Amino acid sequence: MSSIEGVKSIADADVSGKTVLVRADLNVPMEDGRVTDATRIERFAPTVTDLVERGAKVVILSHFGRPKGQRDKKFSLAPVADALAKVLGREVKFASDCVGELAEKAVWALSDGEVLMLENLRFHPGETENDENFARRLAVLGDLYVNDAFSVSHRAHASTYGITKFLPSYAGLSLMKELEALSAALDDPQRPTAALVGGAKVSTKIPVLENLMARMDQIIVGGGMANTFLLALGHDVGKSLAEPDFVDTARAVMDKARENNCEIVLPSDATCAKEFKAGAEAEVCALDGVPSDSMILDVGPQSIADLKMRLQDLKTLLWNGPLGAFEIEPFDTGTVEIARAAAALTKAGKLVTVAGGGDTVAALNAAGVTGDFTYVSTAGGAFLEWLEGKELPGVAALKQSDA
Ligand code: ADP
Ligand code: MG
């Protein structure tokens, strides 16, 4: 089961004069050799600053793109080192390999408080293969290992998993923050607690629903996936995105949730259109009034009003997946209105809000509320696996590490 018990924070370790290998996820968006979105770098920077201020020699490990185990200039981390230097306001040295003589010399040349970034881990096939020898070659570079990359912790790679066998291993500040936020929403939430699960398809979120129903008081289902539930209840959803093959699954989810005393909340009306494009004419439909040539593209105004009422009584909200096809107006209405209501309650100290998922983050950004949520995870796959209740190898390895 996913939990954070047994994970040691680097905040509690003595790092002065030590060489600390920090695994970050600096796989940032880049165009023409320039970083176009520094969000990941900005989130990671405080970990580096803290280590520097405590007198450590900081050596940063990361992957970038998918060079498939071969050196490829296109995937060099050198521009990312420059971008990190700007955010930190201090020099970041760069070594053009992450293991071997080049890396070793660069590490040995470091003084306390200096920062070095090593070239893309994935230039070596041993990284994704979790090759023991490659992990050892990384480990010889440092005294301590820190994982500060939640978003790659669902992968058992040499730099997230294998290396912990050879070095005392800790969670970095941003990993710790992410684990604490997810744990606060999932392991021991203040109740009543609800998960809002939306997005396109039920089929991709069955393990999520099964794990959540054991932990949440309510699961609010929205987005395209709600359509399959509506089908299961005998509603005609017209041309909506739905998965008839998963109607039985939806029924089983509803039955099992009932056994778990978890209420499944479905939309009570819908916003429909005949086409999914900008300027399409949208109409509000009752659940048994969806025209056969129309699609449900968002929850309707009654559902939005009901959900806002519901939020008032909650203490914790965990959110993954938009309530509608938010990419095109006005089908972002449900997502935006509920996001703003949840953000306002969070700001007022009445609700803990934890959200994640690629499209969810985009939708919350568009609604302008990301900063008002308690925590927004930018990790895609790792966030979903955590919601599924899986133990992430990169987190598990930190607990087992007694090197
Ligand atoms: P996340 O990336 O946050 O995990 P998902 O990928 O599961 O979220 O779902 C996001 C997608 O779901 C978006 O592309 C959105 O357009 C789509 N979606 C939501 N509601 C509907 C709907 N009613 N009909 C069609 N697509 C929908
Ligand atoms: Mg998505």
Side-chain angles (χ1 to χ4, degrees):
M1 193 193 80
S2 56
S3 91
I4 66 172
E5 217 170 295
V7 175
K8 289 173 290 192
S9 168
I10 191 64
D12 302 322
D14 178 12
V15 299
S16 176
K18 305 242 169 81
T19 301
V20 183
L21 301 183
V22 188
R23 174 60 156 108
D25 180 359
L26 298 177
N27 188 25
V28 294
M30 185 131 53
E31 257 169 54
D32 302 326
R34 289 194 37 209
V35 175
T36 54
D37 178 355
T39 309
R40 283 196 165 154
I41 295 175
E42 285 157 8
R43 282 197 176 200
F44 171 60
T47 298
V48 179
T49 303
D50 170 68
L51 289 169
V52 163
E53 285 174 354
R54 292 197 283 144
K57 302 176 178 81
V58 184
V59 179
I60 299 165
L61 312 172
S62 180
H63 73 287
F64 182 67
R66 293 174 186 269
K68 307 218 167 98
Q70 277 171 17
R71 180 166 286 278
D72 181 342
K73 260 183 101 175
K74 231 182 21 244
F75 296 111
S76 174
L77 275 168
V80 179
D82 292 339
L84 176 64
K86 281 208 190 82
V87 172
L88 288 173
R90 65 177 77 237
E91 188 192 0
V92 175
K93 299 186 164 157
F94 187 75
S96 51
D97 203 353
C98 62
V99 287
E101 208 180 307
L102 256 174
E104 285 164 18
K105 282 196 173 140
V107 171
W108 294 337
L110 286 177
S111 305
D112 292 354
E114 286 192 324
V115 183
L116 167 71
M117 188 182 295
L118 302 182
E119 184 56 288
N120 197 341
L121 291 158
R122 292 192 188 165
F123 282 180
H124 295 266
E127 164 61 359
T128 55
E129 288 164 7
N130 190 27
D131 177 70
E132 182 163 319
N133 192 40
F134 180 71
R136 195 182 285 115
R137 291 174 75 202
L138 287 172
V140 295
L141 299 171
D143 303 311
L144 306 176
Y145 166 76
V146 171
N147 180 347
D148 208 33
F150 180 77
S151 53
V152 289
S153 294
H154 59 316
R155 305 278 183 233
H157 291 172
S159 70
T160 57
Y161 192 82
I163 191 171
T164 63
K165 198 170 144 188
F166 303 111
L167 289 176
S169 302
Y170 300 86
L173 300 187
S174 73
L175 176 65
M176 211 60 209
K177 223 168 129 183
E178 181 125 22
L179 293 178
E180 279 165 4
L182 297 185
S183 181
L186 261 179
D187 296 339
D188 188 21
Q190 290 184 52
R191 292 178 187 277
T193 175
L196 199 169
V197 186
K201 292 179 168 179
V202 181
S203 52
T204 59
K205 298 207 174 158
I206 296 160
V208 170
L209 292 170
E210 295 202 327
N211 182 46
L212 292 179
M213 69 173 70
R215 294 158 179 268
M216 301 282 146
D217 302 310
Q218 307 169 18
I219 298 178
I220 301 161
V221 182
M225 63 183 274
N227 299 336
T228 303
F229 283 84
L230 296 176
L231 265 186
L233 293 176
H235 296 288
D236 184 352
V237 297
K239 278 169 52 190
S240 303
L241 172 70
E243 296 171 286
D245 290 351
F246 284 85
V247 161
D248 287 340
T249 308
R251 245 180 238 127
V253 165
M254 288 189 275
D255 290 343
K256 216 159 153 190
R258 204 171 297 120
E259 285 165 28
N260 279 283
N261 285 322
C262 173
E263 185 186 358
I264 299 275
V265 181
L266 291 171
S268 50
D269 62 351
T271 296
C272 302
K274 293 196 168 55
E275 290 172 296
F276 179 46
K277 63 172 198 193
E281 203 175 317
E283 61 171 329
V284 175
C285 301
L287 291 183
D288 48 13
V290 178
S292 58
D293 60 346
S294 198
M295 290 176 280
I296 299 175
L297 289 171
D298 194 11
V299 293
Q302 185 59 50
S303 309
I304 295 173
D306 290 346
L307 283 184
K308 282 185 181 168
M309 292 282 286
R310 204 171 263 282
L311 290 186
Q312 304 273 349
D313 297 326
L314 294 176
K315 291 262 165 49
T316 308
L317 180 72
L318 178 66
W319 187 343
N320 170 253
L323 281 170
F326 74 101
E327 293 93 339
I328 296 182
E329 283 179 23
F331 311 111
D332 60 339
T333 308
T335 304
V336 168
E337 289 215 18
I338 297 308
R340 294 203 173 132
L345 288 166
T346 309
K347 261 167 101 176
K350 292 180 180 153
L351 184 66
V352 171
T353 41
V354 176
D359 292 290
T360 309
V361 173
L364 295 181
N365 282 339
V369 300
T370 309
D372 295 332
F373 270 49
T374 309
Y375 194 84
V376 176
S377 171
T378 52
F383 180 76
L384 274 182
E385 289 197 18
W386 186 277
L387 290 193
E388 290 172 3
K390 284 193 190 150
E391 174 98 281
L392 309 188
V395 177
L398 296 178
K399 302 178 191 177
Q400 289 149 11
S401 172
D402 44 17

